[in-house]
C-alpha cells in the first residue's frame, strides 16, 4: 500500500479538522504535521531518484517543485527564490539543492509542538542523497515552522540540523502569517508521533 495514504490516515485519525465553536481543540498532528508530510513527499517525488542524480546536475524543469512551493508561505518562498537566483542556498529551496546533486530520499515524523503566535514546530528526520564528492546518504533532523496563511497551514521556515527557538519565532516572524487563533483552539499538549515515515526506496 502506498505510504502517503498511510501518513494521511494517521494524521486524520489523530483529531478533527479546525474546530468550530464549542468543538474540541485541534490536534496538532492533523494540520501542521500533515502539511510538512505533504511538503516532504512533494520534494521527494520532484527530485530525481538517487541512481539518476549521480554525475548529473542541472536546474529542474519549471513546475517540477510546484506542489512543494504551494505548501510554502509566500514570504518564505520569496526569500528562497531570491537566494536560489543569486546562486546561494536556502533551507526551503530544494530545487536548488537538486541542481547540485542533493535529493531527499526518505523522511520520518518525530514530534510536533506548539510555538508562539499560533504556530507549530514539526520535527522530522530526513535522509538526503548527496552525489557531490563521494556519493553518500546523510541523515539529519530538521525543524519546520508551520503557520496559517490565509487560513491554510503553510511552512514558514526550516532549520536544517538545528532548532527553532520560541524567542526567534516570536520576534522574527511577525506579519508572515495569520494572527494567532483564539485561546483554546490548539491542543494544550503537543501531539507526538514516532514511526510515520516516507521512503523513496529500500533503506541502504
Amino acid at each position: 500500500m502506498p505510504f502517503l495514504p498511510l501518513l494521511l490516515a494517521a494524521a486524520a485519525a489523530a483529531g478533527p479538522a479546525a474546530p468550530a465553536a464549542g468543538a474540541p481543540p485541534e490536534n496538532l498532528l492533523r494540520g501542521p504535521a500533515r502539511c510538512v508530510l505533504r511538503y516532504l513527499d512533494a520534494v521527494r517525488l520532484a527530485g530525481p531518484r538517487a541512481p539518476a542524480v549521480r554525475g548529473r546536475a542541472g536546474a529542474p524543469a519549471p513546475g517540477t517543485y510546484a506542489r512543494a512551493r504551494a505548501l510554502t508561505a509566500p514570504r518564505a518562498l520569496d526569500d528562497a527564490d531570491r537566494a536560489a537566483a543569486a546562486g546561494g542556498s536556502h533551507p526551503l529551496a530544494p530545487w536548488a539543492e537538486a541542481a547540485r546533486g542533493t535529493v531527499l530520499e526518505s523522511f520520518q515524523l518525530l514530534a510536533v509542538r506548539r510555538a508562539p503566535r499560533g504556530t507549530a514546530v514539526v520535527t522530522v528526520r530526513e535522509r538526503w542523497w548527496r552525489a557531490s564528492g563521494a556519493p553518500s546518504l546523510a541523515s539529519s533532523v530538521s525543524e519546520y515552522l508551520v503557520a496559517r496563511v490565509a487560513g491554510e497551514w503553510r511552512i514558514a521556515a526550516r532549520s536544517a540540523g538545528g532548532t527553532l527557538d520560541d524567542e526567534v519565532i516570536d520576534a522574527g516572524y511577525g506579519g508572515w502569517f495569520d494572527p494567532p487563533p483564539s485561546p483554546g483552539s490548539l491542543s494544550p499538549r503537543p501531539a507526538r508521533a514516532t514511526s510515520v515515515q516516507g521512503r523513496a526506496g529500500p533503506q541502504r
Side-chain angles (χ1 to χ4, degrees):
M1 183 178 182
F3 72 88
L4 183 56
L6 291 175
L7 298 179
L8 299 184
E26 176 184 14
N27 188 309
L28 287 179
L29 186 59
R30 180 173 176 87
R34 185 167 61 176
C35 175
V36 172
L37 293 174
R38 285 177 166 172
Y39 171 84
L40 289 171
D41 193 52
V43 170
R44 184 187 66 82
L45 292 174
R49 302 284 68 81
V53 81
R54 292 190 186 192
R56 69 189 268 273
T64 304
Y65 285 85
R67 284 182 57 214
R69 291 173 63 89
L71 290 165
T72 307
R75 290 276 295 270
L77 193 57
D78 288 345
D79 285 352
D81 284 339
R82 281 195 295 269
S89 60
H90 189 281
L92 291 175
W95 53 90
E97 293 303 313
R100 300 184 184 101
T102 298
V103 294
L104 180 66
E105 185 190 75
S106 65
F107 53 90
Q108 179 181 8
L109 176 66
L110 299 180
V112 187
R113 67 173 174 84
R114 293 179 65 191
R117 298 181 179 269
T119 65
V121 171
V122 180
T123 306
V124 180
R125 185 180 304 280
E126 302 164 336
R127 298 182 78 211
W128 296 84
W129 173 262
R130 305 188 191 282
S132 57
S136 63
L137 274 172
S139 177
S140 63
V141 174
S142 293
E143 289 197 344
Y144 288 82
L145 174 63
V146 189
R148 283 193 174 94
V149 178
E152 300 292 335
W153 289 109
R154 294 292 181 262
I155 295 171
R158 170 178 175 246
S159 178
T163 59
L164 289 163
D165 295 330
D166 284 356
E167 294 78 7
V168 173
I169 295 170
D170 194 34
Y173 291 92
W176 281 52
F177 34 76
D178 298 351
S182 58
S185 62
L186 288 176
S187 174
R189 298 180 61 187
R192 300 183 68 86
T194 57
S195 60
V196 183
Q197 70 177 14
R199 292 189 295 197
Q203 297 293 321
R204 295 174 177 80

